Amino acid sequence: MRRISRTSVLGLHRFFAVWRFGFAKLLQSQTLAAAVLLSAPVFSFAVGPVTTQPQVLKGHIPRAARRLSPLGQLNAGYQMEVAIGLPLRNREQLTNLLADIYNPSSPNFHHFLKPDEFAASFAPSAEDYQSVIDFAKAHHLTVTRTHPNRTLVHVSGSVGDVENAFHVHLRTFKHPKEDRNFFAPDTEPSLDLKTPVLAVSGLDNFVRPRPHIHPATTSPRIRPNGGGGGGGGGSGSNTGPFEGYDFRNAYVPNASQDGTGQSVGIFELFGFSQQDIQDYEDETGIFPYVPVQPVLVDGGSASGSIDENFSLLSYAVETTGDIEMAISMAPGLSSVLVYIGPTPQDQPPLGTNYIQDATTTAQINDVLNRMATDDLAKQLSCSYGMDINLSTVQIFQQFAAQGQSFFLASGDFGAFSSAVDEPADDPYITVVGGTTLTTTATGDWASETAWTSPASDDGLGDAIPAQASGGGVSLVYPIPAWQQGISMTVNQGSTTMRNLPDVSLVANNINIVWGNDFILGSTDLPEGGTSLAAPLWAGFMALVNQQAAANGQPPIGFANPSLYAIGKSTNYHSGFHDITIGSNTNSSSPTKYKATAGYDLCTGWGTISTNLMQALLAPPVDTLRVMSPVGFTSQSRSGGPFSVTTQTFTLSNTGTTPLAWSSANSADWLNVSSSGGTLNPGNSTTVTVSLNTNANNFLITHASANVAFNNLTVGTTQNRQFDLYVGNGGFEAGDLSDWTYVGDPTLTFALAGDDSDVAGQNALPGQPDELFVHSGIYGGYLGQWPDDGTLSQTVSTITGQQLLISFWVTSIPDQDGENSPNGFTAKWNGSTLFAGANLPVFGWTNMQYIVSSAGTSGTLEFDFNNTPGAFGLDDVTVETVPRPVLNSPVVSNGNLTFGWAAFVNQSYQIQSTTNLAGSGWTDLGSPIVATNNVMSVSLPVGHAPGQFYRVIMSPQ
């Protein structure tokens, strides 16, 4: 589903540059900062250079369309709708403004903008907006919608007029995975227009937006009389189905807040029955009825309809379920605003006009932008997976600038094995995973596990695939500062890219009421999905913002900076239920991910606990200001010299009372000049962080570490991330620095998200560059032919040193599926580690080898050729073999059983001693050759007092 082009990715990195280097980066000009943050004036910065050449916009061709043969061309007379997106002005200032708004130690903390203030400072100019409108009209396109923030111009016209305006031809294709056709352009759109344009939404319908709701296996219960019976929460069942007050009883027991004065906004693509909502309220004892108001966008319907095959059932049930969940958590809401766009229809066969029934990014962006420019609800929910583009990204930023919390369901099919389904990795939204909840007989919270459900059927003969809480690592967005400073070792998360989900809530065995418009009376439907967890979180945020208003405080706004600060603080376990049981593994990701203590990629920080509202409303005022707001990134060949070796931070007390502070360093390759002290009001001190000689011991690797500055007086922590890229084994320098390359210089590395070329050349037509990137932004592209290419790097070693060589490799065919002849060889000091010829197509595979160094240097070399296809190479590391560590022993029947992580075919020796101060260890038994990555051994307890054991790697 991810398909943002090379140009778009580079744009995103400029757009979100501050996210890579730290969320709390301040504006360079403090005078400008004050003007931007306090009065939100109109800026007049240039939006970009004017050019007389046509603008070419990248990222508009689905990858599938590049390798499929078209079925035909769209009828030139068909009518279609597209939206022309303009870039915001002053985007760097906006990013810095957002950092300041969500920095508790800033005087502008939670000083949100109103929509007109946002437009005044950041919207495209009125002149630019009018020029786009004039462009559309000049090309026979009808302007059907404009927006107050001047970022989108929605237009309609015939296929022929759209093709002429954007210099494309719209083709039709058979969808490779779904039983339908889709349309897409044959080339990237271009505009004969000087005004900068960001994207054109709606030129394809490859991705069909889909709700995440899923039926449970239990049968529905028909309620022909429509009415109700009793409130939720008193059924006595401890596993559901849950409804009504059950959610408040479990997560916010005894809360006096009910959402009064607050509105929840919900993104939908289908209408709903008011009677269904009232039947649900009757059944669960919610009274008076909460006003539910449809807001129709681009022809969306307030009621909706489904055919006799119930093909749109999930869309209909999604809307109703989202409304009922928001009301359940906040039964006193002033309103639920249901923003409804047009419903995606099952596509008719080719030859009929299915353009008008397509729901594309044009309609999606119109709905989301309406939610932003209305600014009527401070808590928003969306339960869809859907295509987005750069225009959508700007809308999410506007939500954050205006103090709107946007909660998105993380998805229902477990761990993402590669690209994350859009828009779940966007860094300006809160992504909600799912759990399975157990309550006591009286409705109190008892326990939760990461949500997973096995494959089943819906009772009507239709298969339901296995489901689980969505989680993964973004391939596009770098890790935000608020997500840094978390150990990602056990949870398998990334220290460089955005991880998800952020939080979670119950997503299993939930009852909703639906069906008055389609059957005789409403029906109780047991449902599941993270789509129901997201509106529950939006309802909870309504409770928080109700109390904030009562306190005279602004709303919480974008929740992640506060949620992560709580998660990393001593208040974690009072604010969250930490979910440590379960996983979201699936067939494509059989080892990822497992629920762990603290943050994980199944449930994020966990679910709402009793004191979370209090923690959100009373963020600690951190009077410790740490400048610079970011750590350093340093690059080097093995042994140095490094591009950056030191950085000095200034710590200041901006408060009125003394504070105690300390520092904590997570890396043995960093030195910190001071471990702590006391600062009086108005005083400052400096702390220097520098590389030490241990950094010279890295061979080829990416090492990441954090230095934490703790305000011990108020219990807050500020993290600064430091990164070492040694030897460029991840190709993240965007070139082949540190490598010696022999071969065609245009076939060297690939850029994630570039659907059309490799290093500027059309090296493997029909295959996107993303296939050649295992992690990060770049990967090695090895497509040399007809002779071998060679990629090598020499590193400093110590004679007799044992080293672990690791790399990831994949074999990609050409667009016709051909992959032979080819050859791939890996060598260390001239000795072959792996050699293969005419290798079949295979996905990313990790190759690991333990080698010994024969002298003071060693050379890692890859030789390759692939005439029709290409190999991808990424995440190359050469590191000292980590010492094996015994796990805690298990005593049973007079034996001690030890386990340890091992390398297959490596030899290990168990040893013991009775005196740790001595130098002698005794071998116990013969060396053990590992046959698995986890080994164990049982030994008799024996009678010697104070016996100590260890495992070492032994010569083979």
Side-chain angles (χ1 to χ4, degrees):
M1 194 172 292
R2 172 73 57 194
R3 53 179 185 81
I4 297 180
S5 72
R6 177 176 188 168
T7 300
S8 299
V9 168
L10 294 176
L12 281 171
H13 279 274
R14 290 191 292 269
F15 196 73
F16 294 112
V18 72
W19 289 95
R20 176 179 291 278
F21 300 112
F23 185 76
K25 184 180 179 225
L26 300 178
L27 292 173
Q28 299 300 317
S29 166
Q30 295 303 311
T31 302
L32 176 61
V36 173
L37 301 174
L38 298 179
S39 60
V42 178
F43 293 104
S44 58
F45 296 99
V47 293
V50 175
T51 176
T52 58
Q53 299 297 319
Q55 295 184 67
V56 178
L57 307 179
K58 301 296 286 289
H60 291 69
I61 307 175
R63 288 197 299 266
R66 297 185 182 278
R67 56 180 180 265
L68 294 174
S69 298
L71 299 173
Q73 185 168 344
L74 281 181
N75 187 315
Y78 287 169
Q79 293 294 303
M80 65 184 305
E81 297 181 354
V82 299
I84 306 172
L86 287 76
L88 292 171
R89 290 179 299 123
N90 311 323
R91 291 189 289 185
E92 184 176 357
Q93 285 87 340
L94 173 59
T95 308
N96 290 320
L97 167 60
L98 290 169
D100 215 31
I101 285 176
Y102 290 100
N103 180 2
S105 45
S106 166
N108 298 287
F109 179 59
H110 284 178
H111 283 203
F112 301 116
L113 302 181
K114 296 181 174 64
D116 58 343
E117 293 173 331
F118 182 90
S121 292
F122 303 110
S125 69
E127 293 78 12
D128 284 347
Y129 200 56
Q130 186 61 49
S131 71
V132 172
I133 293 173
D134 293 341
F135 167 84
K137 292 179 178 178
H139 288 80
H140 310 292
L141 302 175
T142 301
V143 177
T144 57
R145 174 182 289 276
T146 59
H147 293 259
N149 59 7
R150 299 192 294 273
T151 58
L152 295 169
V153 178
H154 200 94
V155 301
S156 66
S158 69
V159 168
D161 287 337
V162 169
E163 290 179 326
N164 291 334
F166 303 110
H167 302 300
V168 298
H169 292 96
L170 294 170
R171 311 296 191 191
T172 58
F173 303 86
K174 177 65 178 176
H175 201 286
K177 296 183 178 180
E178 301 173 16
D179 186 20
R180 64 181 179 94
N181 300 326
F182 71 95
F183 62 86
D186 63 346
T187 189
E188 298 288 7
S190 60
L191 295 82
D192 300 316
L193 180 65
K194 294 180 180 180
T195 303
V197 170
L198 188 65
V200 179
S201 307
L203 291 179
D204 78 273
N205 69 334
F206 177 73
V207 176
R208 185 186 189 196
R210 295 185 181 277
H212 288 310
I213 201 164
H214 297 283
T217 57
T218 54
S219 300
R221 184 181 73 213
I222 305 296
R223 302 171 57 253
N225 296 323
S235 64
S237 172
N238 66 349
T239 58
F242 300 107
E243 62 179 5
Y245 286 98
D246 292 337
F247 308 105
R248 290 173 58 87
N249 293 338
Y251 295 114
V252 288
N254 304 315
S256 60
Q257 302 81 9
D258 61 1
T260 297
Q262 297 293 312
S263 295
V264 168
I266 303 178
F267 174 99
E268 298 293 351
L269 297 176
F270 202 92
F272 63 96
S273 163
Q274 292 280 3
Q275 188 61 54
D276 284 340
I277 309 304
Q278 292 179 10
D279 283 352
Y280 180 83
E281 291 169 316
D282 288 341
E283 179 172 308
T284 58
I286 295 174
F287 189 81
Y289 296 149
V290 173
V292 182
Q293 177 183 341
V295 181
L296 307 182
V297 182
D298 289 348
S301 171
S303 58
S305 62
I306 57 177
D307 59 25
E308 64 277 6
N309 296 319
F310 282 68
S311 58
L312 296 173
L313 177 62
S314 61
Y315 293 86
V317 175
E318 180 68 73
T319 305
T320 303
D322 290 346
I323 297 168
E324 292 173 356
M325 291 306 99
I327 291 173
S328 294
M329 187 63 82
L333 284 169
S334 295
S335 65
V336 175
L337 303 174
V338 188
Y339 288 83
I340 305 174
T343 304
Q345 302 294 321
D346 285 340
Q347 307 302 340
L350 183 65
T352 58
N353 184 2
Y354 59 91
I355 300 264
Q356 293 177 346
D357 294 328
T359 302
T360 68
T361 50
Q363 290 80 29
I364 289 168
N365 287 341
D366 266 8
V367 177
L368 292 171
N369 208 46
R370 177 70 182 273
M371 298 169 82
T373 56
D374 280 359
D375 194 25
L376 296 174
K378 290 302 182 184
Q379 34 278 320
L380 309 171
S381 175
C382 176
S383 299
Y384 282 76
M386 55 199 183
D387 199 16
I388 68 168
N389 58 19
L390 295 180
S391 291
T392 327
V393 171
Q394 294 186 151
I395 299 170
F396 293 146
Q397 278 200 313
Q398 184 166 349
F399 287 152
Q402 295 175 171
Q404 293 175 283
S405 308
F406 188 89
F407 296 95
L408 179 86
S410 70
D412 293 355
F413 297 108
F416 294 102
S417 59
S418 55
V420 173
D421 284 353
E422 296 172 328
D425 56 347
D426 188 278
Y428 286 100
I429 63 179
T430 301
V431 182
V432 183
T435 65
T436 294
L437 170 67
T438 299
T439 64
T440 66
T442 57
D444 296 327
W445 186 91
S447 65
E448 279 176 284
T449 62
W451 169 55
T452 182
S453 295
S456 60
D457 65 74
D458 62 359
L460 302 174
D462 294 325
I464 302 175
Q467 302 157 23
S469 175
V473 177
S474 174
L475 298 179
V476 174
Y477 301 101
I479 188 169
W482 39 260
Q483 200 170 59
Q484 296 174 18
I486 304 170
S487 174
M488 299 292 182
T489 302
V490 177
N491 63 25
Q492 304 179 73
S494 172
T495 59
T496 60
M497 305 301 287
R498 201 263 205 253
N499 303 270
L500 63 118
D502 302 306
V503 292
S504 56
L505 219 58
V506 59
N508 192 22
N509 208 4
I510 295 172
N511 194 61
I512 71 169
V513 172
W514 173 85
N516 270 291
D517 284 354
F518 308 101
I519 58 178
L520 297 177
S522 57
T523 303
D524 286 355
L525 297 177
E527 299 290 328
T530 56
S531 64
L532 298 178
L536 283 168
W537 258 97
F540 169 72
M541 191 56 66
L543 308 183
V544 177
N545 285 333
Q546 175 191 356
Q547 187 58 50
N551 295 348
Q553 298 174 247
I556 300 301
F558 175 44
N560 282 11
S562 295
L563 293 172
Y564 278 79
I566 295 167
K568 290 184 282 188
S569 75
T570 56
N571 294 326
Y572 172 45
H573 289 288
S574 64
F576 288 97
H577 296 298
D578 183 12
I579 313 304
T580 61
I581 300 174
S583 72
N584 60 0
T585 59
N586 54 44
S587 59
S588 60
S589 295
T591 62
K592 295 181 178 180
Y593 297 95
K594 298 184 184 301
T596 65
Y599 178 82
D600 60 59
L601 281 72
C602 300
T603 63
W605 286 112
T607 62
I608 299 164
S609 189
T610 306
N611 293 326
L612 183 58
M613 182 186 301
Q614 178 183 351
L616 287 168
L617 291 170
V621 179
D622 193 350
T623 56
L624 177 65
R625 172 154 291 192
V626 182
M627 297 295 292
S628 162
V630 296
F632 62 68
T633 297
S634 188
Q635 295 179 319
S636 169
R637 290 185 62 87
S638 172
F642 287 90
S643 59
V644 182
T645 60
T646 188
Q647 182 172 356
T648 298
F649 294 86
T650 300
L651 279 59
S652 305
N653 182 352
T654 62
T656 58
T657 58
L659 66 82
W661 67 274
S662 68
S663 66
N665 172 21
S666 67
D668 63 0
W669 44 270
L670 286 176
N671 286 339
V672 182
S673 63
S674 177
S675 61
T678 300
L679 277 175
N680 290 320
N683 286 4
S684 299
T685 189
T686 59
V687 176
T688 300
V689 179
S690 56
L691 297 179
N692 59 40
T693 56
N694 288 334
N696 297 324
N697 297 330
F698 288 111
L699 303 181
I700 304 176
T701 193
H702 167 215
S704 184
N706 281 283
V707 172
F709 295 99
N710 306 301
N711 185 333
L712 302 177
T713 303
V714 298
T716 58
T717 297
Q718 299 180 54
N719 293 287
R720 299 297 183 264
Q721 183 167 322
F722 299 83
D723 289 276
L724 289 185
Y725 289 89
V726 183
N728 196 18
F731 304 97
E732 296 308 309
D735 56 31
L736 291 181
S737 59
D738 303 329
W739 292 96
T740 298
Y741 176 71
V742 178
D744 185 343
T746 65
L747 308 180
T748 55
F749 62 91
L751 175 64
D754 185 350
D755 293 349
S756 60
D757 60 79
V758 174
Q761 304 295 321
N762 193 15
L764 191 56
Q767 298 290 28
D769 276 19
E770 186 174 299
L771 295 177
F772 299 93
V773 180
H774 179 254
S775 70
I777 301 301
Y778 292 97
Y781 177 99
L782 312 181
Q784 183 70 29
W785 63 277
D787 301 317
D788 277 353
T790 299
L791 190 65
S792 63
Q793 185 169 164
T794 300
V795 297
S796 299
T797 59
I798 300 172
T799 302
Q801 188 178 36
Q802 283 192 306
L803 303 173
L804 173 65
I805 295 175
S806 175
F807 58 89
W808 289 80
V809 64
T810 184
S811 179
I812 306 297
D814 66 8
Q815 59 186 350
D816 298 319
E818 298 296 328
N819 196 52
S820 182
N822 66 56
F824 182 86
T825 302
K827 299 178 181 178
W828 173 254
N829 282 340
S831 298
T832 299
L833 303 176
F834 172 86
N838 297 324
L839 295 170
V841 175
F842 58 88
W844 283 108
T845 302
N846 186 216
M847 313 286 278
Q848 292 188 354
Y849 302 92
I850 293 178
V851 299
S852 294
S853 55
T856 58
S857 66
T859 300
L860 177 64
E861 177 181 323
F862 299 98
D863 302 325
F864 47 87
N865 65 76
N866 197 323
T867 300
F871 294 104
L873 179 71
D874 205 357
D875 295 330
V876 181
T877 60
V878 180
E879 301 176 292
T880 303
V881 176
R883 296 179 179 179
V885 177
L886 289 175
N887 297 331
S888 298
V890 176
V891 181
S892 177
N893 298 323
N895 289 324
L896 293 173
T897 300
F898 297 99
W900 70 95
F903 295 100
V904 175
N905 297 324
Q906 178 63 37
S907 182
Y908 295 88
Q909 178 66 59
I910 304 296
Q911 297 180 328
S912 69
T913 184
T914 58
N915 182 11
L916 289 177
S919 58
W921 286 81
T922 302
D923 290 345
L924 299 179
S926 301
I928 301 170
V929 177
T931 58
N932 207 324
N933 291 123
V934 177
M935 294 296 294
S936 63
V937 64
S938 293
L939 302 170
V941 174
H943 301 288
Q947 197 81 4
F948 302 95
Y949 299 86
R950 74 177 185 182
V951 60
I952 64 170
M953 300 181 71
S954 62
Q956 292 178 290

